[in-house]
Amino acid sequence: MDIWFHPSKELDLILKKVAKTAGIDGDFQPQIRTADPRFGDFQANGVLPYAKQAKTNPRAIAEKIVEALKNSPEYDSELIEASIAGPGFINFSLKPKFLNAWLAKYKGEAELKSASSQFFNGKKMIIDYPSPNTAKQMHVGHLRPMVIGEAVKRLLKFCGANIETDNHVGDWGTNFGILIYGIKSENYKLDASNENSLEELEQMYKRGSALAKASEEAANAAREELVKLQNGDPENVALWNEINKVSVSAFDRMYERMSITIDHTLGESFYRDKVGRIYDELTETKIAEEDQGALVVFHRDHERFNKQPFIVRKSDGASNYASTDLATLLYRVENFKAEEVVYVTDGRQQDHFQQLFLTAKKWFDAKGYKLPDLRHVWFGTILGEDGKAIKTKSGEPVRLKALLDEAVARAKAVVKEKNPDIDEVEADKIAETVGVSAIKYADLSQNRTGDYMFSWDKLLAFDGNTAPYLLYAIARMHSIFRKASISPDADFASDASILETEQEIALARKLLSLPYIFELTLSELRPHFLCTYLFELAGIFSGFYNANKVIVDDKAVMARRLMLCSRTMRVLEAGLRLLGIEPLEKM
Ligand code: ARG
């Protein structure tokens, strides 16, 4: 038999097949679950409900299935053991020989990636993140879309998706009137290479809007600048372009620091000339209707949205977030051939996306377009230690750069405390990784739909489910190999004897559950499942390492233990990379 990459999934497929050969009809669902480790690795729970519905004896059905399994070429009693328990459960144990073979085959990131590509098999996906609005500095509110978006993208890619990022920046809106008015009245010179430009623009916007609030004249002047921009006045269009350039170069510096890569940036303004088709098609298919001068979509079949329409064109004739998103979706399908679109935003946009998806379904169905799968990956708020949305003392949102700088400074203090002799350059390098990773990991390790409380002490702790803990665990594994002068990529498998001790077996089982963890993480795109797994894996590794000496005289024992060290290290590293964190070999 083949060594199954994803044993529980493979067992499910095989049991369905052998059940058919045993004369058990089509609706038998094996229901494979992870078993209590005392009884084995997996358990099939599906026989009982099947027998109940077929009004037969479950035990007899289970016997038939197990017999057919044992006669199938996909079963090898040296590798796996199937047995019947209780009234008709089937237990499966992977024998140590199977564990060894699996570990021999899935050596490192490359092998894991190629096996994992079966999850999506080249499905064309577009992921929409971090999609900030231009003319504003990045603050702590921009952290989650960047961190979660990047992790989700890496995971999907690793698991076989043909995925591209489309950064849907908000680069078009009424705020540009005020900004242009501010720039002109202060005679401000924009300069994208100046690190502070964006901050200055933001201040200017604040002064401009204060003025517009205080004086009718200023308000009118700002409105006029907006109208001029909308009508294509060359001077205002040039200024608007400059504002976006300043924003985008500041964003790019942040993306680089956060290791985020973006394939396309098609902002809201890109769709200005594409919304006409949306109005026409929604009107012609009677999905949208005029309501007090606006064009709106009522979802009359929906409990809430039947009273809360989706406004696609405002009463002044202007397009909005909804029409832009509809045009964007069509563009992604027609130009990128998207089979799935994943949107990463704040939870407050849930209504928008639900209405967008409902509208898109009706519209695509009516026009005979192929609707891609649509997912909204939303997240909660980061709270300060007072339990309220995190703010600076003066009540401003915390700037992202300041937050990262503080993380790095705190990390540096910790690194120097652990390694008093370390040189400054090295300490800075490690601190940058540890600090930024700690922030990312603190975010990713929480279930994304919840709010979480930001705590410096927790996220930088070297114990617990944190980036420093995992980075340190990996660095220690590297040092095992360094000290023994052995490459972690040597071929341990052919010299290794069969796993034997309780800790070896426990560690191997945990490593083998990685594909299941991918399946779980991907099902709702929740990276915290992967974080929990990595944390548990590192803990099980410690248990193994404390109880089983690795560098021993018996070459075969040493090889199997080194193989476990190497595989654990490579899985932890691959896992962190999927989360957007680059592991270190030394710390
Ligand atoms: N720019 C928006 C914001 O800052 C997020 C855009 C998300 N993507 C989208 N296609 N609506 O809230």
Side-chain angles (χ1 to χ4, degrees), residues 128 131-133 168 170 268 321 325 332 343 345 349 352-353:
D128 180 323
S131 308
N133 296 332
H168 190 70
E268 292 179 13
Y321 195 49
D325 250 334
R332 287 171 176 168
Y343 300 84
T345 82
Q349 297 197 29
H352 168 76
F353 283 104

Side-chain angles (χ1 to χ4, degrees), residues 98-152:
F98 185 105
L99 304 178
N100 272 66
W102 195 98
L103 294 172
K105 186 164 176 190
Y106 301 106
K107 289 203 274 279
E109 206 164 319
E111 291 78 11
L112 292 169
K113 181 169 191 250
S114 99
S116 301
S117 68
Q118 59 173 277
F119 284 104
F120 290 104
N121 254 319
K123 186 177 189 185
K124 182 77 217 179
M125 293 192 188
I126 293 293
I127 180 164
D128 180 323
Y129 81 99
S131 308
N133 296 332
T134 58
K136 269 203 196 122
Q137 286 194 87
M138 287 196 150
H139 56 77
V140 65
H142 291 99
L143 191 64
R144 304 205 80 183
M146 280 202 253
V147 171
I148 296 171
E150 182 66 21
V152 166

Side-chain angles (χ1 to χ4, degrees), residues 1-8 10-11 14 42 69-82 92-95 97-99 101-102 105-106 512:
M1 74 176 252
D2 285 338
I3 292 299
W4 308 322
F5 173 60
H6 187 346
S8 57
E10 225 49 66
L11 266 176
I14 293 169
F42 308 103
L69 176 68
K70 289 189 172 167
N71 290 326
S72 115
E74 266 136 330
Y75 184 84
D76 178 341
S77 60
E78 280 191 42
L79 297 175
I80 181 161
E81 190 183 308
F92 302 92
S93 287
L94 302 175
K95 294 196 167 172
K97 194 174 165 194
F98 185 105
L99 304 178
W102 195 98
K105 186 164 176 190
Y106 301 106
L512 261 79

Side-chain angles (χ1 to χ4, degrees), residues 37 41 99 499-513 533 536-537 540-541 543-544 564:
D41 291 277
L99 304 178
L499 304 177
E500 211 176 285
T501 69
E502 189 190 326
Q503 298 84 8
E504 289 169 348
I505 304 271
L507 179 56
R509 278 180 159 166
K510 191 70 183 177
L511 287 164
L512 261 79
S513 66
Y533 168 80
E536 288 173 357
L537 176 63
I540 293 173
F541 179 83
F544 151 78
L564 285 167

Side-chain angles (χ1 to χ4, degrees), residues 65-331:
I65 294 174
V66 169
E67 184 175 282
L69 176 68
K70 289 189 172 167
N71 290 326
S72 115
E74 266 136 330
Y75 184 84
D76 178 341
S77 60
E78 280 191 42
L79 297 175
I80 181 161
E81 190 183 308
S83 58
I84 300 170
F89 298 105
I90 311 173
N91 287 338
F92 302 92
S93 287
L94 302 175
K95 294 196 167 172
K97 194 174 165 194
F98 185 105
L99 304 178
N100 272 66
W102 195 98
L103 294 172
K105 186 164 176 190
Y106 301 106
K107 289 203 274 279
E109 206 164 319
E111 291 78 11
L112 292 169
K113 181 169 191 250
S114 99
S116 301
S117 68
Q118 59 173 277
F119 284 104
F120 290 104
N121 254 319
K123 186 177 189 185
K124 182 77 217 179
M125 293 192 188
I126 293 293
I127 180 164
D128 180 323
Y129 81 99
S131 308
N133 296 332
T134 58
K136 269 203 196 122
Q137 286 194 87
M138 287 196 150
H139 56 77
V140 65
H142 291 99
L143 191 64
R144 304 205 80 183
M146 280 202 253
V147 171
I148 296 171
E150 182 66 21
V152 166
K153 181 187 71 192
R154 289 180 184 214
L155 258 159
L156 292 170
K157 196 176 219 164
F158 195 86
C159 294
N162 175 7
I163 192 166
E164 287 176 74
T165 307
D166 184 10
N167 184 12
H168 190 70
V169 293
D171 58 357
W172 192 247
T174 46
N175 54 331
F176 285 97
I178 293 182
L179 271 165
I180 292 175
Y181 165 72
I183 291 174
K184 284 185 178 172
S185 58
E186 296 187 19
N187 210 351
Y188 181 72
K189 287 277 160 290
L190 284 153
D191 172 9
S193 63
N194 172 358
E195 287 245 8
N196 299 323
S197 281
L198 193 53
E199 181 165 3
E200 287 166 14
L201 261 180
E202 203 176 281
Q203 298 306 330
M204 181 137 33
Y205 179 77
K206 279 189 191 144
R207 290 194 294 272
S209 39
L211 274 180
K213 266 200 198 104
S215 112
E216 187 78 15
E217 204 182 316
N220 284 335
R223 216 167 297 128
E224 256 164 51
E225 298 296 357
L226 181 67
V227 172
K228 272 163 78 185
L229 172 67
Q230 287 167 340
N231 294 335
D233 169 77
E235 189 190 2
N236 283 12
V237 170
L239 278 173
W240 168 74
N241 267 321
E242 281 300 306
I243 297 171
N244 287 326
K245 237 208 238 145
V246 164
S247 311
V248 167
S249 37
F251 295 165
D252 282 345
R253 285 191 282 270
M254 188 55 80
Y255 300 153
E256 202 188 318
R257 188 167 189 195
M258 298 284 289
S259 316
I260 286 176
T261 55
I262 282 163
D263 304 302
H264 309 279
T265 296
L266 298 174
E268 292 179 13
S269 66
F270 178 76
Y271 297 97
R272 271 177 295 160
D273 62 354
K274 298 179 180 57
V275 286
R277 178 168 165 202
I278 310 302
Y279 306 145
D280 292 347
E281 294 193 4
L282 290 182
T283 307
E284 148 212 328
T285 52
K286 302 203 163 45
I287 291 167
E289 58 199 78
E290 296 268 349
D291 189 65
Q292 299 164 44
L295 189 64
V296 307
V297 179
F298 278 102
H299 293 289
R300 304 206 195 278
D301 41 357
H302 191 281
E303 208 186 308
R304 221 151 25 87
F305 303 143
N306 65 357
K307 294 199 196 73
Q308 180 191 324
F310 194 45
I311 304 172
V312 296
R313 191 180 61 212
K314 297 196 280 190
S315 53
D316 64 4
S319 62
N320 64 359
Y321 195 49
S323 31
T324 307
D325 250 334
L326 288 163
T328 306
L329 176 59
L330 189 61
Y331 186 84

